[in-house]
Amino acid sequence: DAGITQSPRHKVTETGTPVTLRCHQTENHRYMYWYRQDPGHGLRLIHYSYGVKDTDKGEVSDGYSVSRSKTEDFLLTLESATSSQTSVYFCAISGETRETQYFGPGTRLLVL
Amino acid sequence: ILNVEQSPQSLHVQEGDSTNFTCSFPSSNFYALHWYRWETAKSPEALFVMTLNGDEKKKGRISATLNTKEGYSYLYIKGSQPEDSATYLCAFPPPPYNQGGKLIFGQGTELSVKP
């Protein structure tokens, strides 16, 4: 299994609070991604990174920001959580553009 | 807007049945097609990356074919077993292909195999 961990694995928070999710990899892969999984929508890309300090938006980036200060860590921040951001969040990594993506175990976030 | 369509949305079969489902994608500027298997409460797991028209890939009882000219890929499962129950996702990278390897995912085909 690819060495990807996500923390926390579960979180309950209140509307309006900031939340940061962490993805950590030990594979030294260049590319990292944050997805959210919602019923009826499958997996949707939030943000991705193609190197340290190099990030870009995905299809559902509103309300989220990311940072990548080290190859191994990719942080996803919800600046002010809303109930619509209740979801399961997956981090993924890949080595090159045609290579498969390897997924972390997921973080289940509930915003009350 | 580039889209990946998968059909059927769900499939219920008996143990031992063989089954197949479809992934449709834009045929112009094809780069690669990915298949993933996603069991409930787990993470998506890679099955295949297909890049050439006519490609056929196999992993145990699961195989996939690719037609880039008409924009579809089939996933076959021979002799389905209960442990094959999962959602099967396909995904493709949208152009331009230097966009950090990002993928657009279909909504998946949910397979349920009854013993």
Side-chain angles (χ1 to χ4, degrees):
Chain A
D1 288 345
I4 313 169
T5 56
Q6 291 183 231
S7 58
R9 295 291 314 279
H10 302 271
K11 186 164 182 71
V12 180
T13 192
E14 292 187 350
T15 299
T17 59
V19 176
T20 295
L21 309 183
R22 180 181 183 235
C23 177
H24 178 79
Q25 59 145 329
T26 57
E27 306 296 319
N28 201 36
H29 279 353
R30 179 180 174 188
Y31 301 108
M32 297 185 77
Y33 315 86
W34 276 107
Y35 292 92
R36 58 179 288 176
Q37 176 214 352
D38 303 292
H41 291 280
L43 279 171
R44 292 183 293 174
L45 182 67
I46 305 170
H47 281 279
Y48 65 102
S49 169
Y50 43 95
V52 173
K53 293 189 166 57
D54 290 324
T55 65
D56 207 347
K57 295 178 181 180
E59 57 184 310
V60 289
S61 58
D62 287 349
Y64 301 95
S65 62
V66 289
S67 66
R68 191 166 177 202
S69 58
K70 297 186 287 186
T71 298
E72 56 267 35
D73 289 326
F74 192 31
L75 304 181
L76 176 72
T77 297
L78 289 64
E79 304 289 348
S80 177
T82 67
S83 58
S84 64
Q85 293 176 310
T86 291
S87 187
V88 181
Y89 291 85
F90 285 97
C91 172
I93 65 174
S94 72
E96 295 299 332
T97 55
R98 264 191 196 180
E99 289 186 4
T100 196
Q101 291 186 11
Y102 298 95
F103 285 81
T107 293
R108 194 172 290 274
L109 176 67
L110 175 60
V111 183
L112 299 174
Chain B
I1 295 176
L2 297 174
N3 227 6
V4 182
E5 300 286 339
Q6 290 190 249
S7 62
Q9 280 193 325
S10 64
L11 201 50
H12 299 267
V13 301
Q14 290 294 133
E15 183 175 354
D17 289 349
S18 292
T19 186
N20 67 87
F21 20 94
T22 307
C23 171
S24 301
F25 53 86
S27 56
S28 58
N29 297 313
F30 176 81
Y31 189 69
L33 187 84
H34 298 234
W35 279 101
Y36 290 84
R37 180 172 178 273
W38 194 1
E39 288 182 72
T40 302
K42 294 188 177 179
S43 309
E45 188 182 313
L47 285 173
F48 308 114
V49 180
M50 309 180 79
T51 55
L52 297 174
N53 185 42
D55 242 358
E56 289 189 33
K57 299 239 176 175
K58 190 173 179 183
K59 190 174 184 176
R61 293 177 292 95
I62 304 176
S63 60
T65 61
L66 180 67
N67 183 325
T68 61
K69 296 187 189 308
E70 295 181 41
Y72 65 83
S73 176
Y74 293 139
L75 191 81
Y76 300 91
I77 302 179
K78 185 177 177 182
S80 303
Q81 300 296 308
E83 57 264 31
D84 295 328
S85 296
T87 296
Y88 291 84
L89 298 169
C90 68
F92 84 100
Y97 304 116
N98 57 349
Q99 280 191 354
K102 68 180 193 180
L103 295 174
I104 295 177
F105 281 85
Q107 292 197 23
T109 292
E110 187 178 351
L111 175 67
S112 173
V113 183
K114 288 187 180 176

